[in-house]
Amino acid sequence: MALARTRGLAAHQVLDGVVRGYEAMARVGRALGPHHYRFWHNTATAGAFGAAAASASVLGLNPEQTVWALGNAGTQAAGLWQVRFEPVMSKQLHTAHAAWSGLTAASLAQSDFTGPQYILEGPRGLFAAMCDGGDGAQPNPQAVVAPENDWLIHGTSFKPWPACRHTHATIDCVLALRAAQGGGPLEFASAHVESFADARSEEHTSE
């Protein structure tokens, strides 16, 4: 959207970019597999592809330039989940870096700065480097190009709260309790909270 504002684009051109960005991000994201998510923050990795696709659309890149943009965004994909285990701000940096790397890659491609065509499936590409755990949890490259009846953005959900989904039910519950008690701070001696299994860290079981 920042790029569109600087170029004075119409609303439908911006929306085209958003939809294409979501499509690229969702397709790459669903192909990465469970081993990737164990170590890598998908917003930071697949998000770079989404930002590149959206920027390529807004900039009006041709197919070859778009491939370069996606390739150079993919070679910058990063974002380790260690940030989940320490009280730090790095998770927000992941999102910003994905947006920056995608925009930068697309802007460079507009000037014919080339990028790798096989950044996903190449022998030293993202799937080989960041998705194969050697334990049967393999990436699914076909998920990138699988036919769909509609744009994948229609299957995307949006978080009502700026936190991991694991916490949303608890947040809703606390807000409901607070409202029932008049809206002030809750007063209680103890609380028992149940959540998804993935909400508990294997490395930090006391969380």
Side-chain angles (χ1 to χ4, degrees):
M1 291 183 70
L3 181 61
R5 282 197 297 269
T6 64
R7 297 175 63 84
L9 299 184
H12 75 273
Q13 293 173 298
V14 179
L15 291 175
D16 282 349
V18 169
V19 171
R20 289 170 179 150
Y22 268 86
E23 189 74 12
M25 180 172 60
R27 285 179 172 274
V28 171
R30 70 185 184 180
L32 295 175
H35 177 77
H36 180 84
Y37 187 73
R38 178 172 172 77
F39 294 98
W40 301 95
H41 183 191
N42 285 31
T43 300
T45 54
F49 290 94
S55 299
S57 177
V58 170
L59 290 171
L61 301 189
N62 64 39
E64 185 176 40
Q65 291 171 325
T66 300
V67 169
W68 295 339
L70 291 168
N72 281 327
T75 201
Q76 299 177 79
L80 289 164
W81 266 138
Q82 181 60 31
V83 302
R84 297 173 65 183
F85 306 129
E86 300 181 36
V88 295
M89 301 177 181
S90 307
K91 189 177 180 182
Q92 285 66 42
L93 179 62
H94 290 176
T95 309
H97 179 74
W100 177 87
S101 61
L103 172 57
T104 300
S107 298
L108 289 170
Q110 188 179 36
S111 298
D112 293 334
F113 190 97
T114 61
Q117 180 177 353
Y118 301 104
I119 193 63
L120 290 175
E121 72 274 33
R124 297 294 186 273
L126 190 145
F127 288 153
M130 300 165 67
C131 302
D132 184 358
D135 54 2
Q138 300 293 318
N140 180 19
Q142 287 303 312
V144 179
V145 295
E148 295 290 346
N149 294 326
D150 207 344
W151 294 97
L152 294 182
I153 194 172
H154 293 299
T156 302
S157 61
F158 291 87
K159 293 181 177 181
W161 309 113
C164 288
R165 281 286 188 181
H166 312 130
T167 66
H168 287 194
T170 303
I171 293 172
D172 287 337
C173 179
V174 169
L175 291 175
L177 285 171
R178 190 170 70 176
Q181 295 184 16
L186 293 178
E187 296 183 8
F188 52 87
S190 64
H192 176 78
V193 178
E194 295 184 358
S195 186
F196 305 99
D198 192 47
R200 292 181 58 85
S201 161
E202 294 180 10
E203 290 85 354
H204 294 70
T205 55
S206 63
E207 287 186 345

